[in-house]
Amino acid sequence: MVFYRFWDILIIVSTTLAAIKIPIQLGSGYSRWADLVFIDWAIMLIFILDVPINFFRPLSTGGRSIPTKRERAVHYLKGWFIIDFLAAFPFQLLFGSPFFQLARLIKLARVAKLMHHRRRRPFQHSTLFRLSTFFFWLGLVTHWLSCGWLELSAAAGVPEASRTYLRALYWCVTTLTTVGYGDIIPLTNAQTIYTMFVMVLGVGMYGYVIGNVANLLANIDMARAHYLSNMERLSTFLKYRHIPVALQKQIYDYYAYLWEHRMGYDESTVLSQLPAALQSEVSIVLKQDYIEKIPFLKGAYQELIRDMAFELRPVVFTPGTYVFRAGDIGRHLYFINHGQVEVIAADGKTIYNTLKEGDFFGEIALLSSRPRTASVRTLDYCDMYTIDRDTFEKVLGHYPEFAKHVREIAKTRLEKE
Ligand code: CMP
């Protein structure tokens, strides 16, 4: 498969080279480009080799691969063969005229197909890829239009000194972008018609750029754009409801923390949109690092880790907030992923302990069905995972060793009180 990937890149590069070289060498002022025959030979060789390579290329059609060689060959013959054949055929050698080389450009259809195929699959830099393909085609079209203008200028009798490729390109860019300085103007009817054509093309392209490229650029950092738009809505709401400035600051800090640590994504929402089988796989990958940090889960059964990972829900607390207070009804067990909390006695003064990354709390209320024996307050931003009572009980029922371990910890903590 790596070979085919490399081959596709080679096809794109050689076709692009042909699309640049052939139109320019056919022009009257640039025939010296035709002297670089080894490039023409190389392109022809690659195009010829491409035909047998495609004949036996493994095909995948939606996961079902076409098995026999014969079927593959028939598939190719019915499809892209004619294009590849016409692009590879040495017409100019048989008929003499270099204009037959233009037939090579038919291969651009394959380039378009390869790019389209890639675009359909989402990948990390897909927006950048879309932008690059857009500029790729734009660059080629600009080049061809410049070559056309060069020819028309030659026909109009423009002296060779002012008929350079650079000036033609300059004319093309100013006309296409609708800037039109007017320092290079059409002299003949043919040039006037050509100019009008390029102007109309330029307007169409401008519309496309405004509509699509701006959108693509905005998508490059979609996560950030999403975060900023959420923050804007939030800020309008907070101001509209006259939320005190200090509280507003806390809310902004909380979102800033979420942004820094989770790129503003809510893990649970992303997971809930996946099919069940993938959900558990992804939750394990997401939470594995953390689960490995919990001392008593080190070396635990793989199934326990799997069950736990699936049920763990992420929560974030800002500094100085109470996760719960002594006497509350206990519904969750908490695992600290990041940050520190202090366990405060019911009197509100005595500090029993400070818990950190890898520790858990809240098990006593769940094990003994009594109110919370102490309050828990965060010391800094705390990233935690919780599991609810039902899951906790289910896990305890399934994994007696885990249950024993949790009970022992609960016992020593209760003794300390
Ligand atoms: P729970 O009683 O549900 O709520 C308060 C939690 O604080 C309690 O469960 C324990 O998880 C935790 N806790 C209580 N006492 C101590 C202690 N001495 N050291 C560490 N944690 C404690």
Side-chain angles (χ1 to χ4, degrees), residues 324 343 352-353 361-365 372-374 413 416-417:
F324 51 72
V343 183
Y352 284 144
N353 210 341
F361 60 88
E363 75 292 353
I364 298 177
R372 296 287 191 196
T373 53
R413 282 178 175 174
K416 273 194 197 164
E417 284 173 30

Side-chain angles (χ1 to χ4, degrees), residues 172-215:
C172 189
V173 171
T174 49
T175 314
L176 264 184
T177 52
T178 70
V179 171
Y181 276 122
D183 51 349
I184 301 178
I185 49 163
L187 302 172
T188 58
N189 282 349
Q191 277 187 317
T192 312
I193 293 168
Y194 193 73
T195 308
M196 286 192 295
F197 167 71
V198 177
M199 280 173 175
V200 173
L201 203 71
V203 172
M205 194 199 75
Y206 205 71
Y208 183 86
V209 171
I210 299 289
N212 290 278
V213 178
N215 201 2

